[in-house]
Amino acid sequence: MKIIPGKRNKEIERKHSPESLTGAELVNPYDSETRKGAQVEKMFDSIAPAYDFMNIAMTLGLHRRWRDKALQAAARRIPSPTDILDIATGTGDVAFRLAAMFRGAQVTGVDLSRGMLKIAKEKLYQLPSTLGERILFEVGDSLALPYPNRAFDLITVAYGVRNFEHLKQGLDEMYRVMRPGGVLCIIELSVPTQPVLRAGYNLYSRCLIPSIGRLISKDSKAYSYLPESIAAAPQRDEMAMILSECGFKRIEWRSLTFGAVTYYLASKP
């Protein structure tokens, strides 16, 4: 586990232009003409019916273990949050787990994709009222969150930051809506660093996953975008440094399952 000290945010307005895009910001699901955010929304609307099944198939069910490891680590840092925001909430998997873990908390899940949120809300209606009444799902843009400053104690993002059109802008928004002393937990797929493991991972992610995705989701490009965006996204120390540049401190990361996934924790001073 690596820990990197935080760096104070200068509160300088950042301007984002096509020339400033880097890494996964340059990787789009469909084409190079349309804004990435619009393409990501379209992609998740398209794959929403198959999303939960594909998560199980791609990870052999390990995504739940990864989620719980990361959230348990966040809980050790902030044991009793009262207001939680789950960004890129998708079909609600993380939001439901958060509500179960933190019995006194209100959990808000936000996502661009109405198709994904439709499934999350269908799941919500099946929950006991004592749990479901503490969960709210809303449409929203991670780059312009529809919430006031200092509204949340805990913010989570699972498998979402590599889909951001502007990563730092999204992190700035998280910083803005987080209370001082609050905690950010990011879970993201990553590429193993060991050469033999990386070769096996590349074969699996670039050949097998797109083939399964085409059969199950009927979207031929969504699951080709997946390994490309993972490989291009900042990982481990590089992601930690970006979090530091955005003002977060007490930044740490840990990779799981031979490096196939990495979670990050960071606090707002």
Side-chain angles (χ1 to χ4, degrees):
M1 183 178 288
K2 299 290 187 70
I3 300 179
I4 294 179
K7 180 179 178 181
R8 185 65 185 167
N9 193 339
K10 301 298 184 181
E11 301 297 335
I12 297 173
E13 179 182 3
R14 292 183 174 88
K15 297 183 183 294
H16 300 282
S17 65
E19 293 76 19
S20 71
L21 301 181
T22 61
E25 296 171 343
L26 292 166
V27 180
N28 294 329
Y30 299 118
D31 60 62
S32 59
E33 306 300 323
T34 313
R35 191 173 61 84
K36 177 168 182 171
Q39 293 188 52
V40 167
E41 179 181 358
K42 177 183 176 182
M43 178 185 72
F44 281 110
D45 282 345
S46 170
I47 67 174
Y51 183 79
D52 286 339
F53 176 83
M54 283 298 299
N55 276 353
I56 296 170
M58 287 189 306
T59 70
L60 304 177
L62 287 172
H63 67 292
R64 296 190 183 99
R65 177 177 178 272
W66 298 338
R67 174 202 64 194
D68 288 351
K69 285 276 188 182
L71 297 185
Q72 287 162 8
R76 288 192 289 272
R77 188 176 287 198
I78 182 165
S80 302
T82 57
D83 296 285
I84 302 174
L85 177 64
D86 183 41
I87 295 174
T89 195
T91 61
D93 177 65
V94 173
F96 296 132
R97 186 65 180 139
L98 287 164
M101 286 179 64
F102 301 105
R103 298 288 181 173
Q106 175 69 41
V107 179
T108 301
V110 65
D111 203 285
L112 273 176
S113 169
R114 286 173 170 80
M116 298 286 273
L117 289 176
K118 179 177 181 291
I119 293 174
K121 290 175 181 178
E122 289 171 355
K123 293 180 184 178
L124 181 62
Y125 297 145
Q126 299 173 15
L127 294 178
S129 60
T130 53
L131 183 63
E133 66 189 8
R134 293 190 291 108
I135 303 171
L136 173 67
F137 289 115
E138 298 182 316
V139 176
D141 187 347
S142 60
L143 305 189
L145 293 169
Y147 307 112
N149 296 347
R150 303 183 175 189
F152 300 97
D153 325 282
L154 174 61
I155 297 176
T156 58
V157 195
Y159 315 112
V161 294
R162 62 188 163 76
N163 298 317
F164 286 5
E165 189 168 346
H166 302 293
L167 174 59
K168 287 187 177 180
Q169 185 177 336
L171 294 173
D172 282 345
E173 275 292 274
M174 296 178 212
Y175 191 95
R176 178 184 67 80
V177 302
M178 182 179 289
R179 292 172 185 148
V183 171
L184 170 63
C185 178
I186 296 173
I187 310 170
E188 191 53 84
L189 297 168
S190 52
V191 180
T193 57
Q194 204 278 337
V196 174
L197 292 173
R198 185 167 62 245
Y201 166 87
N202 286 336
L203 179 65
Y204 178 72
S205 65
R206 294 182 179 276
C207 299
L208 187 58
I209 286 178
S211 297
I212 296 172
R214 280 192 293 272
L215 288 173
I216 303 299
S217 74
K218 310 304 182 185
D219 189 319
S220 62
K221 294 187 176 180
Y223 287 95
S224 295
Y225 162 80
L226 175 67
E228 292 175 9
S229 63
I230 295 168
Q235 298 175 19
R236 303 180 180 93
D237 283 344
E238 185 182 359
M239 176 66 82
M241 289 306 302
I242 294 171
L243 287 165
S244 178
E245 290 169 4
C246 291
F248 292 97
K249 63 184 300 186
R250 293 184 62 203
I251 301 159
E252 58 185 89
W253 59 261
R254 183 179 180 186
S255 289
L256 305 173
T257 313
F258 308 110
V261 68
T262 302
Y263 71 78
Y264 306 81
L265 296 178
S267 298
K268 180 175 179 177

